């Protein structure tokens, strides 16, 4: 029995280079298969982990010294109007994992 339906309606990730002030889109397809990206964008913790992975790759490849990664993910829960799942102003590349609830993850609308 399905208890809920969570649909991602829009997902965008941006990397910001503070040294140059430039922003560029992140194509998850460069790092993951499509089916992995579809699963990832439904889970805030997976998005945070992916952001750390991308930041590490950018530093390793010497493309960006201190990348800041932001995501704008809209989800619809049980057919409701799509809303933001995570704070689009949160720098996901510098957030640590925590057991308690995270203020950068928005709760579902009532």
């Amino acid at each position: 029995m399905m208890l809920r339906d969570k649909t991602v309606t829009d997902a965008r990730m941006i990397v910001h280079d503070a040294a140059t002030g430039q922003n560029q889109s992140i194509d998850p397809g460069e790092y993951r298969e499509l089916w992995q990206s579809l699963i990832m964008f439904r889970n805030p913790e997976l998005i945070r982990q992916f952001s750390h992975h991308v930041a590490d790759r950018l530093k390793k490849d010497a493309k960006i010294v201190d990348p800041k990664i932001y995501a704008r993910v809209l989800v619809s829960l049980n057919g409701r109007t799509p809303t933001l799942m995570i704070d689009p102003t949160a720098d996901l590349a510098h957030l640590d994992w925590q057991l308690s609830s995270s203020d950068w993850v928005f709760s579902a609308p009532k």
Side-chain angles (χ1 to χ4, degrees):
M1 173 187 334
M2 183 186 298
L3 299 178
R4 69 162 174 81
D5 179 41
K6 188 177 194 180
T7 306
V8 177
T9 60
D10 186 34
R12 298 176 191 170
M13 296 185 75
I14 303 290
V15 62
H16 175 75
D17 184 354
T20 65
Q22 292 184 337
N23 292 333
Q24 67 184 72
S25 294
I26 296 172
D27 178 12
E30 292 181 28
Y31 303 90
R32 304 277 186 263
E33 295 293 329
L34 175 62
W35 67 269
Q36 292 172 314
S37 296
L38 294 174
I39 292 170
M40 174 189 73
F41 280 122
R42 290 199 262 156
N43 185 322
E45 175 57 20
L46 293 179
I47 296 170
R48 187 195 67 81
Q49 290 177 20
F50 177 70
S51 298
H52 279 253
H53 173 72
V54 171
D56 291 343
R57 290 267 307 265
L58 290 171
K59 286 186 232 178
K60 180 182 171 194
D61 295 343
K63 292 182 180 176
I64 300 176
V65 176
D66 186 26
K68 298 181 185 325
I69 299 180
Y70 305 96
R72 184 176 183 277
V73 181
L74 291 170
V75 296
S76 172
L77 189 61
N78 295 332
R80 295 186 183 117
T81 303
T83 59
L84 287 170
M85 181 173 65
I86 59 178
D87 184 356
T89 64
D91 177 11
L92 302 174
H94 291 91
L95 290 175
D96 292 325
W97 180 84
Q98 58 189 44
L99 183 60
S100 62
S101 64
S102 304
D103 58 351
W104 57 274
V105 178
F106 297 146
S107 61
K110 306 272 190 246

